[in-house]
Amino acid sequence: MTAPGEQPERAVRSYVITKGRARPSRNTINVDTLLVAADPGRPLPVTASREETALVRMCARLLSLAEAAAHLSLPVSLVKVVASDLVDSGHLAARSGIPEAAGPDTQLLQEVLDGLRRLR
Amino acid sequence: MGSAGSADRYLPDTVQQAVKILVVGAFGVGKTTLVGSVSEIEPLRTEEHITEASAGVDDLAGVGTKHTTTVAMDFGRITLNPRIALYLFGTPGQRRFWDLWEGLAEGALGVLALVDTRRIEDSFDVLEQLELRGLPFAVAVNEFPDSETYEIGEIRSALDLLDETPVVLCDARDPRSSVEALITLVQYVFERAARPAAPQEPAV
Ligand SMILES: Nc1nc2c(ncn2[C@@H]2O[C@H](COP(=O)(O)OP(=O)(O)O)[C@@H](O)[C@H]2O)c(=O)[nH]1
Ligand SMILES: [Mg+2]
């Protein structure tokens, strides 16, 4: 939507941190994506941002992206981009939620129902 | 219930699949209360930046006039079995936040729409959007001490709901009642998914 001569959008903080990308490179990363450090011993490059370092540390064990964002007091939109880079670089492993196109299958829904009914 | 310690914030490593349900509704309708009453962790808040859509074009002098709004979401978690964790996201229902739902709703099982019968008109916009976007939803009516008592049928017709849309009465402060509302939603989603892929039902 950029007309000639138009200025780029105002750079908000998260836009800068995410190196100018407004969206994560993988659309499989969402609020309910489960993240865990792929190999806790594997060092991040020295160029890693504070947010990258903090996210890998937070994901020492399994956690959703939303939880990691909340514990780190970072916006979800930012953490999506950072997490997606770290998955690409092999520092984080992602267990994704339901792919948007497929939708939940009845077996999964049955398991969810059974789980909720146990809470009655 | 979650404690403040960080040791128990993590999921069991056996969990392979996260599922999510959105809880939407007008301000004060009970979203935060419902999420908190069923969550196994201390409910958390995250923030999302929304670019205000007031201006159609970026304003050259507008570095500073174009602003982003921060929207808080509450969420909670229920580990349903060793394999599956359910996340509940409470998000505001105001018109200007609808684009936020779009991303959040991707891959969601469904939406629980909370309604306060003292301000039933506040929910019209939200329900209409859910229908337009084809998101499967159930309506949970929270009863407040000064609410008048209505029959489900009266509420259903006041809200002009589709026949298939489930409606339940709910006390968001009560975990059991909140769980029942969630069961009603998932049961409905299950029935929809189990239905043979028939073409559009003929209009009546
Ligand atoms: N009686 C009653 N009060 C409720 C119910 N749900 C929420 N409340 C109260 O209504 C107020 C607003 O609820 P809150 O969860 O903050 O609403 P939100 O803005 O939708 O997140 C709080 O004081 C709650 O204790 C309900 O089902 N019944
Ligand atoms: Mg709230």
Side-chain angles (χ1 to χ4, degrees), chain A residues 7 32 58 61-62 64 66-67 70 75-77 95 111 117-118 120, chain B residues 10-11 13 15 18 45 47-48 60 75 77 80-81 83 87 176 180 187:
Chain A
Q7 293 281 13
D32 54 331
M58 178 59 64
R61 286 170 51 208
L62 192 65
S64 68
E67 285 168 291
V76 161
S77 51
R95 299 179 194 171
E111 280 191 71
R117 285 177 178 146
R118 278 193 292 273
R120 271 176 165 160
Chain B
Y10 293 101
L11 284 165
D13 195 52
V15 174
R45 282 172 89 76
E47 293 181 342
E48 196 62 79
L60 284 196
F75 69 97
R77 181 181 93 192
L80 292 173
N81 68 30
R83 237 179 44 79
Y87 287 89
R176 282 172 179 270
E180 284 306 322
Q187 179 74 49

PDB file of all heavy atoms in Angstrom, chain A residues 7 32 58 61-62 64 66-67 70 75-77 95 111 117-118 120, chain B residues 10-11 13 15 18 45 47-48 60 75 77 80-81 83 87 176 180 187:
ATOM      1  N   GLN A   7       6.153   8.047   2.910  1.00  0.00           N
ATOM      2  CA  GLN A   7       7.107   7.652   3.932  1.00  0.00           C
ATOM      3  C   GLN A   7       6.727   6.286   4.491  1.00  0.00           C
ATOM      4  O   GLN A   7       5.565   5.949   4.529  1.00  0.00           O
ATOM      5  CB  GLN A   7       7.089   8.661   5.082  1.00  0.00           C
ATOM      6  CG  GLN A   7       7.614  10.030   4.703  1.00  0.00           C
ATOM      7  CD  GLN A   7       9.132  10.055   4.669  1.00  0.00           C
ATOM      8  OE1 GLN A   7       9.761   9.012   4.696  1.00  0.00           O
ATOM      9  NE2 GLN A   7       9.714  11.235   4.589  1.00  0.00           N
ATOM     10  N   ASP A  32      -0.537 -19.797  20.590  1.00  0.00           N
ATOM     11  CA  ASP A  32      -0.629 -21.092  21.263  1.00  0.00           C
ATOM     12  C   ASP A  32       0.429 -22.075  20.793  1.00  0.00           C
ATOM     13  O   ASP A  32       0.372 -23.258  21.132  1.00  0.00           O
ATOM     14  CB  ASP A  32      -2.036 -21.680  21.078  1.00  0.00           C
ATOM     15  CG  ASP A  32      -2.440 -21.750  19.614  1.00  0.00           C
ATOM     16  OD1 ASP A  32      -1.965 -20.913  18.828  1.00  0.00           O
ATOM     17  OD2 ASP A  32      -3.230 -22.637  19.256  1.00  0.00           O
ATOM     18  N   MET A  58      13.857 -18.378  28.736  1.00  0.00           N
ATOM     19  CA  MET A  58      12.494 -18.628  29.251  1.00  0.00           C
ATOM     20  C   MET A  58      11.990 -20.002  28.805  1.00  0.00           C
ATOM     21  O   MET A  58      11.245 -20.666  29.525  1.00  0.00           O
ATOM     22  CB  MET A  58      11.564 -17.517  28.734  1.00  0.00           C
ATOM     23  CG  MET A  58      10.112 -17.645  29.127  1.00  0.00           C
ATOM     24  SD  MET A  58       9.838 -17.661  30.915  1.00  0.00           S
ATOM     25  CE  MET A  58      10.412 -16.025  31.366  1.00  0.00           C
ATOM     26  N   ARG A  61      12.188 -24.976  29.427  1.00  0.00           N
ATOM     27  CA  ARG A  61      11.225 -26.078  29.362  1.00  0.00           C
ATOM     28  C   ARG A  61      10.008 -25.610  28.589  1.00  0.00           C
ATOM     29  O   ARG A  61       9.889 -24.447  28.218  1.00  0.00           O
ATOM     30  CB  ARG A  61      10.878 -26.545  30.778  1.00  0.00           C
ATOM     31  CG  ARG A  61      12.022 -27.357  31.413  1.00  0.00           C
ATOM     32  CD  ARG A  61      11.798 -27.606  32.886  1.00  0.00           C
ATOM     33  NE  ARG A  61      10.488 -28.164  33.157  1.00  0.00           N
ATOM     34  CZ  ARG A  61       9.830 -27.992  34.304  1.00  0.00           C
ATOM     35  NH1 ARG A  61      10.344 -27.281  35.284  1.00  0.00           N
ATOM     36  NH2 ARG A  61       8.648 -28.531  34.470  1.00  0.00           N
ATOM     37  N   LEU A  62       9.057 -26.545  28.391  1.00  0.00           N
ATOM     38  CA  LEU A  62       7.938 -26.309  27.471  1.00  0.00           C
ATOM     39  C   LEU A  62       6.969 -25.234  27.970  1.00  0.00           C
ATOM     40  O   LEU A  62       6.512 -25.276  29.115  1.00  0.00           O
ATOM     41  CB  LEU A  62       7.196 -27.641  27.269  1.00  0.00           C
ATOM     42  CG  LEU A  62       6.181 -27.709  26.143  1.00  0.00           C
ATOM     43  CD1 LEU A  62       6.853 -27.546  24.785  1.00  0.00           C
ATOM     44  CD2 LEU A  62       5.428 -29.050  26.203  1.00  0.00           C
ATOM     45  N   SER A  64       3.923 -22.098  26.198  1.00  0.00           N
ATOM     46  CA  SER A  64       3.339 -21.507  24.994  1.00  0.00           C
ATOM     47  C   SER A  64       3.982 -20.153  24.720  1.00  0.00           C
ATOM     48  O   SER A  64       4.518 -19.506  25.626  1.00  0.00           O
ATOM     49  CB  SER A  64       1.826 -21.321  25.161  1.00  0.00           C
ATOM     50  OG  SER A  64       1.578 -20.338  26.131  1.00  0.00           O
ATOM     51  N   ALA A  66       2.476 -17.397  24.134  1.00  0.00           N
ATOM     52  CA  ALA A  66       1.781 -16.353  24.903  1.00  0.00           C
ATOM     53  C   ALA A  66       2.307 -16.285  26.338  1.00  0.00           C
ATOM     54  O   ALA A  66       2.507 -15.197  26.884  1.00  0.00           O
ATOM     55  CB  ALA A  66       0.272 -16.621  24.917  1.00  0.00           C
ATOM     56  N   GLU A  67       2.535 -17.454  26.940  1.00  0.00           N
ATOM     57  CA  GLU A  67       3.059 -17.460  28.307  1.00  0.00           C
ATOM     58  C   GLU A  67       4.459 -16.854  28.353  1.00  0.00           C
ATOM     59  O   GLU A  67       4.769 -16.060  29.248  1.00  0.00           O
ATOM     60  CB  GLU A  67       3.107 -18.900  28.853  1.00  0.00           C
ATOM     61  CG  GLU A  67       1.740 -19.434  29.219  1.00  0.00           C
ATOM     62  CD  GLU A  67       1.767 -20.937  29.481  1.00  0.00           C
ATOM     63  OE1 GLU A  67       1.966 -21.704  28.512  1.00  0.00           O
ATOM     64  OE2 GLU A  67       1.605 -21.335  30.639  1.00  0.00           O
ATOM     65  N   ALA A  70       4.160 -13.150  28.114  1.00  0.00           N
ATOM     66  CA  ALA A  70       3.631 -12.550  29.345  1.00  0.00           C
ATOM     67  C   ALA A  70       4.708 -12.526  30.438  1.00  0.00           C
ATOM     68  O   ALA A  70       4.901 -11.513  31.109  1.00  0.00           O
ATOM     69  CB  ALA A  70       2.401 -13.321  29.825  1.00  0.00           C
ATOM     70  N   PRO A  75       5.454  -7.728  23.963  1.00  0.00           N
ATOM     71  CA  PRO A  75       4.244  -7.899  23.150  1.00  0.00           C
ATOM     72  C   PRO A  75       4.286  -9.220  22.371  1.00  0.00           C
ATOM     73  O   PRO A  75       5.342  -9.623  21.886  1.00  0.00           O
ATOM     74  CB  PRO A  75       4.270  -6.723  22.176  1.00  0.00           C
ATOM     75  CG  PRO A  75       5.341  -5.819  22.618  1.00  0.00           C
ATOM     76  CD  PRO A  75       6.251  -6.570  23.534  1.00  0.00           C
ATOM     77  N   VAL A  76       3.137  -9.836  22.258  1.00  0.00           N
ATOM     78  CA  VAL A  76       3.022 -11.101  21.535  1.00  0.00           C
ATOM     79  C   VAL A  76       3.513 -10.967  20.084  1.00  0.00           C
ATOM     80  O   VAL A  76       4.190 -11.846  19.572  1.00  0.00           O
ATOM     81  CB  VAL A  76       1.558 -11.582  21.576  1.00  0.00           C
ATOM     82  CG1 VAL A  76       1.282 -12.606  20.490  1.00  0.00           C
ATOM     83  CG2 VAL A  76       1.242 -12.176  22.934  1.00  0.00           C
ATOM     84  N   SER A  77       3.172  -9.851  19.470  1.00  0.00           N
ATOM     85  CA  SER A  77       3.547  -9.665  18.058  1.00  0.00           C
ATOM     86  C   SER A  77       5.069  -9.696  17.897  1.00  0.00           C
ATOM     87  O   SER A  77       5.592 -10.239  16.924  1.00  0.00           O
ATOM     88  CB  SER A  77       2.984  -8.348  17.528  1.00  0.00           C
ATOM     89  OG  SER A  77       3.332  -7.295  18.402  1.00  0.00           O
ATOM     90  N   ARG A  95       6.125 -26.767  18.858  1.00  0.00           N
ATOM     91  CA  ARG A  95       5.036 -27.733  18.678  1.00  0.00           C
ATOM     92  C   ARG A  95       3.803 -26.891  18.414  1.00  0.00           C
ATOM     93  O   ARG A  95       3.335 -26.188  19.294  1.00  0.00           O
ATOM     94  CB  ARG A  95       4.826 -28.566  19.941  1.00  0.00           C
ATOM     95  CG  ARG A  95       6.052 -29.368  20.296  1.00  0.00           C
ATOM     96  CD  ARG A  95       5.860 -30.181  21.566  1.00  0.00           C
ATOM     97  NE  ARG A  95       7.160 -30.663  22.026  1.00  0.00           N
ATOM     98  CZ  ARG A  95       7.363 -31.263  23.196  1.00  0.00           C
ATOM     99  NH1 ARG A  95       6.345 -31.456  24.025  1.00  0.00           N
ATOM    100  NH2 ARG A  95       8.560 -31.665  23.537  1.00  0.00           N
ATOM    101  N   GLU A 111     -11.155 -35.662  22.683  1.00  0.00           N
ATOM    102  CA  GLU A 111     -10.203 -35.629  23.798  1.00  0.00           C
ATOM    103  C   GLU A 111     -10.361 -34.359  24.629  1.00  0.00           C
ATOM    104  O   GLU A 111     -10.247 -34.386  25.854  1.00  0.00           O
ATOM    105  CB  GLU A 111      -8.758 -35.711  23.270  1.00  0.00           C
ATOM    106  CG  GLU A 111      -8.310 -37.101  22.915  1.00  0.00           C
ATOM    107  CD  GLU A 111      -6.800 -37.144  22.667  1.00  0.00           C
ATOM    108  OE1 GLU A 111      -6.026 -37.020  23.630  1.00  0.00           O
ATOM    109  OE2 GLU A 111      -6.405 -37.278  21.488  1.00  0.00           O
ATOM    110  N   ARG A 117     -14.767 -32.629  30.750  1.00  0.00           N
ATOM    111  CA  ARG A 117     -15.761 -33.339  31.571  1.00  0.00           C
ATOM    112  C   ARG A 117     -15.142 -33.882  32.853  1.00  0.00           C
ATOM    113  O   ARG A 117     -15.832 -33.995  33.870  1.00  0.00           O
ATOM    114  CB  ARG A 117     -16.407 -34.462  30.755  1.00  0.00           C
ATOM    115  CG  ARG A 117     -17.406 -33.904  29.759  1.00  0.00           C
ATOM    116  CD  ARG A 117     -17.998 -34.993  28.884  1.00  0.00           C
ATOM    117  NE  ARG A 117     -18.976 -34.410  27.983  1.00  0.00           N
ATOM    118  CZ  ARG A 117     -19.203 -34.841  26.735  1.00  0.00           C
ATOM    119  NH1 ARG A 117     -18.517 -35.873  26.264  1.00  0.00           N
ATOM    120  NH2 ARG A 117     -20.104 -34.251  25.984  1.00  0.00           N
ATOM    121  N   ARG A 118     -13.861 -34.197  32.800  1.00  0.00           N
ATOM    122  CA  ARG A 118     -13.197 -34.647  34.031  1.00  0.00           C
ATOM    123  C   ARG A 118     -13.106 -33.531  35.067  1.00  0.00           C
ATOM    124  O   ARG A 118     -12.887 -33.791  36.240  1.00  0.00           O
ATOM    125  CB  ARG A 118     -11.790 -35.176  33.713  1.00  0.00           C
ATOM    126  CG  ARG A 118     -11.781 -36.617  33.209  1.00  0.00           C
ATOM    127  CD  ARG A 118     -10.372 -37.191  33.219  1.00  0.00           C
ATOM    128  NE  ARG A 118      -9.519 -36.543  32.232  1.00  0.00           N
ATOM    129  CZ  ARG A 118      -9.425 -36.929  30.945  1.00  0.00           C
ATOM    130  NH1 ARG A 118     -10.129 -37.964  30.506  1.00  0.00           N
ATOM    131  NH2 ARG A 118      -8.638 -36.296  30.107  1.00  0.00           N
ATOM    132  N   ARG A 120     -15.546 -31.546  35.798  1.00  0.00           N
ATOM    133  CA  ARG A 120     -16.883 -31.289  36.346  1.00  0.00           C
ATOM    134  C   ARG A 120     -16.953 -31.563  37.834  1.00  0.00           C
ATOM    135  O   ARG A 120     -16.301 -32.477  38.320  1.00  0.00           O
ATOM    136  CB  ARG A 120     -17.904 -32.199  35.664  1.00  0.00           C
ATOM    137  CG  ARG A 120     -18.476 -31.577  34.431  1.00  0.00           C
ATOM    138  CD  ARG A 120     -19.394 -32.565  33.742  1.00  0.00           C
ATOM    139  NE  ARG A 120     -20.230 -31.881  32.767  1.00  0.00           N
ATOM    140  CZ  ARG A 120     -20.842 -32.515  31.763  1.00  0.00           C
ATOM    141  NH1 ARG A 120     -20.704 -33.812  31.626  1.00  0.00           N
ATOM    142  NH2 ARG A 120     -21.594 -31.837  30.922  1.00  0.00           N
TER     143      ARG A 120
ATOM    144  N   TYR B  10       5.873 -24.235  33.882  1.00  0.00           N
ATOM    145  CA  TYR B  10       6.051 -24.979  32.639  1.00  0.00           C
ATOM    146  C   TYR B  10       5.031 -26.102  32.472  1.00  0.00           C
ATOM    147  O   TYR B  10       4.453 -26.587  33.434  1.00  0.00           O
ATOM    148  CB  TYR B  10       7.470 -25.538  32.569  1.00  0.00           C
ATOM    149  CG  TYR B  10       8.485 -24.436  32.431  1.00  0.00           C
ATOM    150  CD1 TYR B  10       9.222 -23.997  33.526  1.00  0.00           C
ATOM    151  CD2 TYR B  10       8.663 -23.802  31.205  1.00  0.00           C
ATOM    152  CE1 TYR B  10      10.134 -22.953  33.394  1.00  0.00           C
ATOM    153  CE2 TYR B  10       9.570 -22.762  31.074  1.00  0.00           C
ATOM    154  CZ  TYR B  10      10.305 -22.347  32.161  1.00  0.00           C
ATOM    155  OH  TYR B  10      11.191 -21.315  32.034  1.00  0.00           O
ATOM    156  N   LEU B  11       4.851 -26.503  31.212  1.00  0.00           N
ATOM    157  CA  LEU B  11       3.978 -27.623  30.881  1.00  0.00           C
ATOM    158  C   LEU B  11       4.753 -28.922  31.056  1.00  0.00           C
ATOM    159  O   LEU B  11       5.966 -28.950  30.875  1.00  0.00           O
ATOM    160  CB  LEU B  11       3.557 -27.523  29.411  1.00  0.00           C
ATOM    161  CG  LEU B  11       2.505 -26.494  29.037  1.00  0.00           C
ATOM    162  CD1 LEU B  11       2.492 -26.303  27.523  1.00  0.00           C
ATOM    163  CD2 LEU B  11       1.134 -26.930  29.529  1.00  0.00           C
ATOM    164  N   ASP B  13       6.438 -32.142  29.836  1.00  0.00           N
ATOM    165  CA  ASP B  13       7.081 -32.314  28.541  1.00  0.00           C
ATOM    166  C   ASP B  13       6.310 -33.246  27.611  1.00  0.00           C
ATOM    167  O   ASP B  13       6.556 -33.283  26.403  1.00  0.00           O
ATOM    168  CB  ASP B  13       8.516 -32.821  28.737  1.00  0.00           C
ATOM    169  CG  ASP B  13       9.321 -32.663  27.456  1.00  0.00           C
ATOM    170  OD1 ASP B  13       9.328 -31.532  26.915  1.00  0.00           O
ATOM    171  OD2 ASP B  13       9.899 -33.660  26.987  1.00  0.00           O
ATOM    172  N   VAL B  15       3.271 -32.881  26.750  1.00  0.00           N
ATOM    173  CA  VAL B  15       2.257 -32.156  25.977  1.00  0.00           C
ATOM    174  C   VAL B  15       2.751 -31.938  24.550  1.00  0.00           C
ATOM    175  O   VAL B  15       3.846 -31.435  24.326  1.00  0.00           O
ATOM    176  CB  VAL B  15       1.898 -30.814  26.652  1.00  0.00           C
ATOM    177  CG1 VAL B  15       0.960 -30.001  25.768  1.00  0.00           C
ATOM    178  CG2 VAL B  15       1.262 -31.059  28.007  1.00  0.00           C
ATOM    179  N   ALA B  18      -1.342 -27.914  21.570  1.00  0.00           N
ATOM    180  CA  ALA B  18      -2.067 -26.852  22.256  1.00  0.00           C
ATOM    181  C   ALA B  18      -3.343 -26.569  21.477  1.00  0.00           C
ATOM    182  O   ALA B  18      -3.336 -26.585  20.250  1.00  0.00           O
ATOM    183  CB  ALA B  18      -1.210 -25.594  22.332  1.00  0.00           C
ATOM    184  N   ARG B  45      -1.366 -11.895  31.516  1.00  0.00           N
ATOM    185  CA  ARG B  45      -1.776 -10.842  30.585  1.00  0.00           C
ATOM    186  C   ARG B  45      -0.699 -10.678  29.538  1.00  0.00           C
ATOM    187  O   ARG B  45       0.491 -10.725  29.851  1.00  0.00           O
ATOM    188  CB  ARG B  45      -1.896  -9.502  31.309  1.00  0.00           C
ATOM    189  CG  ARG B  45      -3.147  -9.354  32.112  1.00  0.00           C
ATOM    190  CD  ARG B  45      -3.063  -8.089  32.920  1.00  0.00           C
ATOM    191  NE  ARG B  45      -3.593  -6.945  32.184  1.00  0.00           N
ATOM    192  CZ  ARG B  45      -4.889  -6.733  32.012  1.00  0.00           C
ATOM    193  NH1 ARG B  45      -5.767  -7.574  32.487  1.00  0.00           N
ATOM    194  NH2 ARG B  45      -5.320  -5.680  31.352  1.00  0.00           N
ATOM    195  N   GLU B  47       0.185  -8.269  25.875  1.00  0.00           N
ATOM    196  CA  GLU B  47      -0.237  -7.066  25.169  1.00  0.00           C
ATOM    197  C   GLU B  47       0.017  -7.203  23.690  1.00  0.00           C
ATOM    198  O   GLU B  47       0.983  -7.817  23.264  1.00  0.00           O
ATOM    199  CB  GLU B  47       0.504  -5.853  25.732  1.00  0.00           C
ATOM    200  CG  GLU B  47       0.054  -5.596  27.150  1.00  0.00           C
ATOM    201  CD  GLU B  47       0.712  -4.401  27.774  1.00  0.00           C
ATOM    202  OE1 GLU B  47       1.754  -3.970  27.250  1.00  0.00           O
ATOM    203  OE2 GLU B  47       0.179  -3.908  28.764  1.00  0.00           O
ATOM    204  N   GLU B  48      -0.870  -6.638  22.935  1.00  0.00           N
ATOM    205  CA  GLU B  48      -0.756  -6.658  21.483  1.00  0.00           C
ATOM    206  C   GLU B  48      -0.882  -5.219  21.011  1.00  0.00           C
ATOM    207  O   GLU B  48      -1.671  -4.451  21.551  1.00  0.00           O
ATOM    208  CB  GLU B  48      -1.895  -7.510  20.926  1.00  0.00           C
ATOM    209  CG  GLU B  48      -1.736  -7.954  19.500  1.00  0.00           C
ATOM    210  CD  GLU B  48      -0.531  -8.848  19.269  1.00  0.00           C
ATOM    211  OE1 GLU B  48      -0.576 -10.045  19.576  1.00  0.00           O
ATOM    212  OE2 GLU B  48       0.474  -8.309  18.761  1.00  0.00           O
ATOM    213  N   LEU B  60       2.318  12.241   6.099  1.00  0.00           N
ATOM    214  CA  LEU B  60       3.755  12.537   6.053  1.00  0.00           C
ATOM    215  C   LEU B  60       4.237  13.223   7.310  1.00  0.00           C
ATOM    216  O   LEU B  60       5.263  12.871   7.870  1.00  0.00           O
ATOM    217  CB  LEU B  60       4.083  13.430   4.846  1.00  0.00           C
ATOM    218  CG  LEU B  60       4.113  12.739   3.491  1.00  0.00           C
ATOM    219  CD1 LEU B  60       4.816  13.631   2.482  1.00  0.00           C
ATOM    220  CD2 LEU B  60       4.780  11.394   3.563  1.00  0.00           C
ATOM    221  N   PHE B  75      -5.142 -14.464  29.698  1.00  0.00           N
ATOM    222  CA  PHE B  75      -5.301 -15.857  29.299  1.00  0.00           C
ATOM    223  C   PHE B  75      -4.935 -16.803  30.421  1.00  0.00           C
ATOM    224  O   PHE B  75      -4.247 -16.464  31.370  1.00  0.00           O
ATOM    225  CB  PHE B  75      -4.537 -16.163  28.019  1.00  0.00           C
ATOM    226  CG  PHE B  75      -3.050 -16.142  28.157  1.00  0.00           C
ATOM    227  CD1 PHE B  75      -2.363 -17.319  28.357  1.00  0.00           C
ATOM    228  CD2 PHE B  75      -2.351 -14.952  28.080  1.00  0.00           C
ATOM    229  CE1 PHE B  75      -0.978 -17.313  28.470  1.00  0.00           C
ATOM    230  CE2 PHE B  75      -0.978 -14.933  28.192  1.00  0.00           C
ATOM    231  CZ  PHE B  75      -0.287 -16.104  28.391  1.00  0.00           C
ATOM    232  N   ARG B  77      -4.771 -21.399  31.325  1.00  0.00           N
ATOM    233  CA  ARG B  77      -4.395 -22.695  30.759  1.00  0.00           C
ATOM    234  C   ARG B  77      -5.036 -23.830  31.549  1.00  0.00           C
ATOM    235  O   ARG B  77      -5.151 -23.737  32.773  1.00  0.00           O
ATOM    236  CB  ARG B  77      -2.876 -22.801  30.841  1.00  0.00           C
ATOM    237  CG  ARG B  77      -2.269 -24.056  30.284  1.00  0.00           C
ATOM    238  CD  ARG B  77      -0.766 -24.005  30.469  1.00  0.00           C
ATOM    239  NE  ARG B  77      -0.359 -24.648  31.715  1.00  0.00           N
ATOM    240  CZ  ARG B  77       0.860 -24.548  32.246  1.00  0.00           C
ATOM    241  NH1 ARG B  77       1.780 -23.792  31.683  1.00  0.00           N
ATOM    242  NH2 ARG B  77       1.146 -25.170  33.351  1.00  0.00           N
ATOM    243  N   LEU B  80      -5.365 -30.628  29.786  1.00  0.00           N
ATOM    244  CA  LEU B  80      -6.532 -31.515  29.736  1.00  0.00           C
ATOM    245  C   LEU B  80      -6.166 -32.975  29.913  1.00  0.00           C
ATOM    246  O   LEU B  80      -6.936 -33.756  30.456  1.00  0.00           O
ATOM    247  CB  LEU B  80      -7.268 -31.339  28.404  1.00  0.00           C
ATOM    248  CG  LEU B  80      -7.962 -29.994  28.205  1.00  0.00           C
ATOM    249  CD1 LEU B  80      -8.497 -29.893  26.785  1.00  0.00           C
ATOM    250  CD2 LEU B  80      -9.089 -29.804  29.218  1.00  0.00           C
ATOM    251  N   ASN B  81      -5.019 -33.345  29.403  1.00  0.00           N
ATOM    252  CA  ASN B  81      -4.486 -34.697  29.596  1.00  0.00           C
ATOM    253  C   ASN B  81      -2.985 -34.599  29.338  1.00  0.00           C
ATOM    254  O   ASN B  81      -2.494 -33.510  29.001  1.00  0.00           O
ATOM    255  CB  ASN B  81      -5.232 -35.722  28.708  1.00  0.00           C
ATOM    256  CG  ASN B  81      -4.983 -35.547  27.218  1.00  0.00           C
ATOM    257  OD1 ASN B  81      -3.919 -35.091  26.804  1.00  0.00           O
ATOM    258  ND2 ASN B  81      -5.968 -35.899  26.407  1.00  0.00           N
ATOM    259  N   ARG B  83      -1.221 -35.071  27.005  1.00  0.00           N
ATOM    260  CA  ARG B  83      -0.858 -34.704  25.646  1.00  0.00           C
ATOM    261  C   ARG B  83      -1.353 -33.323  25.202  1.00  0.00           C
ATOM    262  O   ARG B  83      -0.829 -32.733  24.273  1.00  0.00           O
ATOM    263  CB  ARG B  83      -1.456 -35.760  24.690  1.00  0.00           C
ATOM    264  CG  ARG B  83      -0.472 -36.476  23.790  1.00  0.00           C
ATOM    265  CD  ARG B  83      -1.204 -37.506  22.922  1.00  0.00           C
ATOM    266  NE  ARG B  83      -2.452 -37.007  22.354  1.00  0.00           N
ATOM    267  CZ  ARG B  83      -2.537 -36.220  21.291  1.00  0.00           C
ATOM    268  NH1 ARG B  83      -1.477 -35.833  20.648  1.00  0.00           N
ATOM    269  NH2 ARG B  83      -3.712 -35.807  20.852  1.00  0.00           N
ATOM    270  N   TYR B  87      -5.707 -23.501  26.003  1.00  0.00           N
ATOM    271  CA  TYR B  87      -5.508 -22.102  26.383  1.00  0.00           C
ATOM    272  C   TYR B  87      -6.800 -21.326  26.145  1.00  0.00           C
ATOM    273  O   TYR B  87      -7.482 -21.534  25.142  1.00  0.00           O
ATOM    274  CB  TYR B  87      -4.372 -21.474  25.561  1.00  0.00           C
ATOM    275  CG  TYR B  87      -3.029 -21.981  26.017  1.00  0.00           C
ATOM    276  CD1 TYR B  87      -2.465 -23.126  25.460  1.00  0.00           C
ATOM    277  CD2 TYR B  87      -2.345 -21.340  27.040  1.00  0.00           C
ATOM    278  CE1 TYR B  87      -1.245 -23.614  25.916  1.00  0.00           C
ATOM    279  CE2 TYR B  87      -1.127 -21.811  27.494  1.00  0.00           C
ATOM    280  CZ  TYR B  87      -0.583 -22.948  26.932  1.00  0.00           C
ATOM    281  OH  TYR B  87       0.610 -23.422  27.391  1.00  0.00           O
ATOM    282  N   ARG B 176     -17.058 -24.535  38.043  1.00  0.00           N
ATOM    283  CA  ARG B 176     -17.893 -25.583  37.450  1.00  0.00           C
ATOM    284  C   ARG B 176     -18.811 -25.028  36.375  1.00  0.00           C
ATOM    285  O   ARG B 176     -18.993 -25.620  35.319  1.00  0.00           O
ATOM    286  CB  ARG B 176     -18.738 -26.264  38.528  1.00  0.00           C
ATOM    287  CG  ARG B 176     -17.931 -27.255  39.317  1.00  0.00           C
ATOM    288  CD  ARG B 176     -18.717 -27.777  40.507  1.00  0.00           C
ATOM    289  NE  ARG B 176     -17.898 -28.749  41.215  1.00  0.00           N
ATOM    290  CZ  ARG B 176     -17.895 -30.051  40.959  1.00  0.00           C
ATOM    291  NH1 ARG B 176     -18.707 -30.557  40.047  1.00  0.00           N
ATOM    292  NH2 ARG B 176     -17.102 -30.860  41.622  1.00  0.00           N
ATOM    293  N   GLU B 180     -18.825 -25.855  32.423  1.00  0.00           N
ATOM    294  CA  GLU B 180     -20.030 -26.270  31.683  1.00  0.00           C
ATOM    295  C   GLU B 180     -20.198 -25.445  30.411  1.00  0.00           C
ATOM    296  O   GLU B 180     -20.570 -25.970  29.361  1.00  0.00           O
ATOM    297  CB  GLU B 180     -21.298 -26.143  32.550  1.00  0.00           C
ATOM    298  CG  GLU B 180     -21.471 -27.222  33.596  1.00  0.00           C
ATOM    299  CD  GLU B 180     -21.416 -28.660  33.041  1.00  0.00           C
ATOM    300  OE1 GLU B 180     -21.942 -28.914  31.930  1.00  0.00           O
ATOM    301  OE2 GLU B 180     -20.834 -29.526  33.722  1.00  0.00           O
ATOM    302  N   GLN B 187     -18.827 -29.209  22.651  1.00  0.00           N
ATOM    303  CA  GLN B 187     -19.819 -30.176  22.176  1.00  0.00           C
ATOM    304  C   GLN B 187     -20.405 -29.721  20.831  1.00  0.00           C
ATOM    305  O   GLN B 187     -20.537 -30.499  19.887  1.00  0.00           O
ATOM    306  CB  GLN B 187     -20.935 -30.296  23.232  1.00  0.00           C
ATOM    307  CG  GLN B 187     -22.055 -31.259  22.880  1.00  0.00           C
ATOM    308  CD  GLN B 187     -21.619 -32.710  23.022  1.00  0.00           C
ATOM    309  OE1 GLN B 187     -21.051 -33.078  24.041  1.00  0.00           O
ATOM    310  NE2 GLN B 187     -21.873 -33.509  22.004  1.00  0.00           N
TER     311      GLN B 187
END
